[in-house]
Amino acid sequence: MNIYVGNLSFSATDADLRDAFSQYGEVTRASIVIDRDTNRSRGFGFVEMTSPEDGRSAIAALNGSSLGGRNITCNEARE
């Protein structure tokens, strides 16, 4: 399951995302989208989890929670 994570702190790292979501199941990929011109975070990223059930649990638990001092938004990524 691919999960969109928005409103991330600009100082958040891929490892921060992996750590937060790995509490709910196996994370196969966690990446923050980087602006290619400024080489800074664009404030959102994606987490891929092996199990859809784990992904739904993570979304339910983490949506609106604080990560790096900001309340993040989580939902299933669209194609």
Side-chain angles (χ1 to χ4, degrees), residues 18-70:
R18 182 177 293 279
D19 290 344
F21 280 82
S22 65
Q23 298 175 37
Y24 301 96
E26 184 181 348
V27 174
T28 56
R29 182 178 61 93
S31 61
I32 293 177
V33 177
I34 303 294
D35 184 288
R36 68 180 110 160
D37 294 333
T38 63
N39 207 31
R40 288 185 49 202
S41 166
R42 293 191 58 201
F44 68 94
F46 295 93
V47 175
E48 193 172 298
M49 300 186 77
T50 55
S51 163
E53 294 81 22
D54 292 344
R56 283 189 279 278
S57 295
I59 289 170
L62 295 173
N63 189 35
S65 69
S66 179
L67 181 66
R70 296 185 76 171

